Every structure is written in structure tokens, then in C-alpha cells.
């Protein structure tokens, strides 16, 4: 797969380093979220950690030398955001065979939103490092949003946004959309290719599951108050605990999410940085 041209070999190397560090952090976060989701669904989460990135940060912070580990994770998450913003503003990956709209959503909007999400994650780590997290009152979201027209409108928008995110992850799970991002020259052994393909497709199912359950929570909140902790990911998954079938779905989602974390860790080695155009034909023209 042909790599898109970069401004210089030096900055291409910097982007590869930053992207790989960021993907390592992403793998750790999703691996922990998946593990805690499985533990909650199996009723093994005796310390009641939330099944979300925030819960993962609390788990790390509670470990010996947790503050140091959180600080390292904070820097790594910043690397991920920097890489995503970098790709957004340079329009990295833009494909000559794609329409302008498809290029915009996939290679401009998507990395920008992703970068913002991981900046938000880093905010939780900073509050924990400053010992402000436990002193904060839990958010009244989403129930308090039901009390106004603007709030209910935002619940609808958030629900639709998470459904779109779910559909995007399902595309990754059932198509080869992400295959062009892997450096298959590195994965030159048959077992490496099958490992990446298997973990990737299963892993994206886990992300799709999380997003659809959060979307369901948003729409439920329009009709009646829902269980809330201020953490939409944890609340979206916790609504499954009321039945055996729900717990099975929760365990399945957690296992797939854990697998996605492992896949992200493998991407540190096997993914291409910067992101290449899927067809191998970079767009040439004004940015």
C-alpha cells in the first residue's frame, strides 16, 4: 500500500511515533473497559468500578503507583489527540477516488471528533491527579435534560450521534473498510494476518455494542427517568444488568471490547502512520 506523501521524512517519523504511542494508550483504555464490563456482567466487579474510560482511570489510580501510571497515560492520550488533530488539519488519508463529502467525513470530521473525545478523557485524569474528582457532585445528566425543550432536543441529537457511531463501527466489523490502514508487509506471516483480521472485526463489534446501548439510554431518558451516575458509557451498559439476557449481552460486549483493546495494541506495530488513502491514490489538489 502506497503511503501518502508527507511534508518531510522528519515530520512523518514524528507522526508515526506520536500515533503509535496514542494507539497504545487507546488499547489500554479499551482493554480495561472491556474487562470491567465482563466483570460487571458476571457480577465479579466487587469494587463497583464503572464500565467506561473514567472507570478505567479510577482503576489505574487505585493501583500502587497509580498517580504515576495515570500521568503516563495522560501524556499518551495527548499523543493520540495530537495525532488525530494532525491528520484532521493536514487532511491525511484523503482519497482521489472518494467524493468530497466522503473525504470530509472520514478524513476531516472523524479525526477531529476523535481528538476532542480523547482530550475530554484527559480532563478526567487531570481532575484525578489534582484530587478533585472525588469531591465533585455527580452530574444529573441525562435526567435533568428532560426538563427543557433544549435538553430534550440535545438528548435526541446525542442519541442519533451514538447510533451513527454504532453504524460506523458495524461497517468496520462487517467490511474491510479499515484493512488499508494495516501495513500488511509487516504482517507477512499468515497467522499474523488472520490474527489482525479476527481481532479487528470482533473488536469493532464491541465498540458498536457500547454505542448502541448508550444511544438506547438517551432515547429512554426522553420517556422516563433512567439510572444515572453522570457517566453515559457506564449507565448505558448498566441498564443490561436487570436480566440474564442483558448480562449475557453485557459480557459479550465486554469480551469484544477487550479484544478491541488487544487489537489497538497490535496496531502500535502493524498500523500505518500516517493513514494512507484506502485506494492507494492520494488526492492531489488544494486542501
Amino acid at each position: 500500500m502506497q503511503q501518502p506523501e508527507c511534508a518531510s521524512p522528519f515530520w512523518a517519523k514524528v507522526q508515526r511515533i506520536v500515533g503509535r504511542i496514542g494507539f497504545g494508550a487507546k488499547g489500554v483504555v479499551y482493554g480495561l473497559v472491556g474487562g470491567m464490563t465482563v466483570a460487571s456482567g458476571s457480577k465479579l466487579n466487587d469494587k463497583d468500578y464503572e464500565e467506561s474510560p473514567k472507570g478505567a482511570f479510577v482503576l489505574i489510580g487505585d493501583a500502587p503507583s497509580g498517580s504515576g501510571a495515570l500521568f503516563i497515560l495522560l501524556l499518551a492520550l495527548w499523543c493520540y489527540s495530537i495525532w488525530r488533530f494532525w491528520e484532521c488539519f493536514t487532511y491525511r488519508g484523503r482519497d482521489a477516488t472518494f467524493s468530497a463529502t466522503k473525504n470530509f467525513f472520514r478524513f476531516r470530521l472523524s479525526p477531529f471528533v476523535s481528538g476532542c473525545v480523547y482530550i475530554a478523557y484527559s480532563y478526567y485524569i487531570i481532575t484525578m491527579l489534582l484530587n478533585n474528582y472525588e469531591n465533585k457532585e455527580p452530574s444529573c445528566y441525562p435526567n435533568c435534560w428532560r426538563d427543557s425543550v433544549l435538553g430534550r432536543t440535545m438528548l435526541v441529537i446525542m442519541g442519533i450521534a451514538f447510533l451513527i457511531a454504532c453504524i460506523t463501527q458495524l461497517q468496520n466489523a462487517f467490511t474491510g473498510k479499515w484493512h488499508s490502514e494495516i501495513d500488511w508487509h509487516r504482517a507477512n506471516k499468515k497467522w499474523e494476518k488472520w490474527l489482525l483480521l479476527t481481532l479487528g472485526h470482533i473488536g469493532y463489534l464491541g465498540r458498536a455494542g457500547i454505542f448502541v446501548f448508550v444511544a438506547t439510554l438517551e432515547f429512554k431518558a426522553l420517556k422516563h427517568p433512567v439510572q444515572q451516575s453522570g457517566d453515559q458509557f457506564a449507565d448505558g451498559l448498566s441498564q443490561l444488568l436487570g436480566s440474564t439476557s442483558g448480562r449475557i449481552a453485557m459480557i459479550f460486549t465486554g469480551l469484544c471490547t477487550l479484544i478491541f483493546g488487544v487489537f489497538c495494541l497490535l496496531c502500535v506495530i502493524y498500523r500505518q502512520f500516517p493513514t494512507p488513502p484506502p485506494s492507494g491514490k492520494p488526492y492531489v489538489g488544494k486542501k
Side-chain angles (χ1 to χ4, degrees):
M1 179 63 67
Q2 180 183 1
Q3 286 270 14
E5 294 183 2
C6 298
S8 72
F10 171 77
W11 287 113
K13 182 177 181 180
V14 172
Q15 191 172 0
R16 283 194 293 271
I17 293 172
V18 171
R20 284 172 178 157
I21 292 172
F23 248 88
K26 182 176 181 177
V28 170
V29 171
Y30 272 99
L32 290 175
V33 171
M36 290 186 297
T37 302
V38 172
S40 294
S42 305
K43 297 185 177 181
L44 298 175
N45 190 354
D46 55 351
K47 291 191 176 181
D48 200 27
Y49 290 113
E50 295 175 341
E51 309 86 2
S52 68
K54 286 193 289 185
F57 304 148
V58 173
L59 178 63
I60 293 173
D62 286 347
S65 303
S67 295
L70 281 176
F71 182 72
I72 294 173
L73 183 60
L74 173 65
L75 297 180
L77 289 176
W78 280 347
C79 284
Y80 187 85
S81 292
I82 290 171
W83 168 65
R84 294 302 274 163
F85 288 138
W86 197 331
E87 295 221 323
C88 165
F89 294 124
T90 60
Y91 227 157
R92 185 59 54 197
R94 188 164 53 156
D95 197 296
T97 65
F98 287 5
S99 67
T101 301
K102 187 174 182 178
N103 271 320
F104 173 79
F105 277 99
R106 184 164 176 178
F107 301 112
R108 184 79 87 184
L109 182 61
S110 178
F112 177 78
V113 172
S114 179
C116 291
V117 168
Y118 281 82
I119 286 292
Y121 289 167
S122 68
Y123 164 78
Y124 299 121
I125 297 180
I126 292 173
T127 57
M128 290 181 63
L129 291 173
L130 296 176
N131 296 319
N132 290 330
Y133 185 76
E134 293 183 355
N135 297 327
K136 291 198 170 196
E137 291 292 330
S139 171
C140 65
Y141 167 85
N143 288 334
C144 59
W145 286 23
R146 303 175 63 253
D147 299 332
S148 67
V149 174
L150 177 60
R152 294 176 68 84
T153 302
M154 289 303 299
L155 284 175
V156 173
I157 292 174
M158 293 285 285
I160 293 174
F162 278 108
L163 280 180
I164 293 173
C166 172
I167 293 171
T168 301
Q169 300 309 305
L170 287 175
Q171 287 180 332
N172 287 331
F174 294 110
T175 71
K177 179 180 176 181
W178 53 272
H179 291 183
S180 61
E181 299 172 358
I182 303 298
D183 185 351
W184 296 110
H185 294 294
R186 283 180 174 244
N188 53 15
K189 296 179 181 177
K190 191 172 182 179
W191 69 266
E192 291 176 296
K193 293 179 180 179
W194 279 108
L195 180 65
L196 287 167
L197 290 171
T198 302
L199 295 183
H201 285 288
I202 294 175
Y204 280 114
L205 273 179
R207 292 190 80 193
I210 290 177
F211 291 146
V212 76
F213 294 137
V214 175
T216 302
L217 182 77
E218 306 285 347
F219 292 127
K220 277 185 176 180
L222 289 169
K223 295 183 178 181
H224 53 75
V226 296
Q227 178 182 348
Q228 65 176 42
S229 65
D231 187 329
Q232 58 188 352
F233 284 93
D235 293 339
L237 289 167
S238 294
Q239 64 186 324
L240 300 173
L241 291 172
S243 66
T244 300
S245 59
R247 288 198 301 274
I248 292 173
M250 190 173 184
I251 293 171
F252 176 77
T253 300
L255 285 173
C256 291
T257 305
L258 176 60
I259 289 172
F260 182 74
V262 176
F263 172 71
C264 289
L265 291 175
L266 290 176
C267 282
V268 173
I269 300 172
Y270 293 106
R271 196 188 192 280
Q272 296 192 72
F273 298 94
T275 300
S279 71
K281 300 177 181 179
Y283 178 89
V284 179
K286 293 182 179 180
K287 291 184 179 179

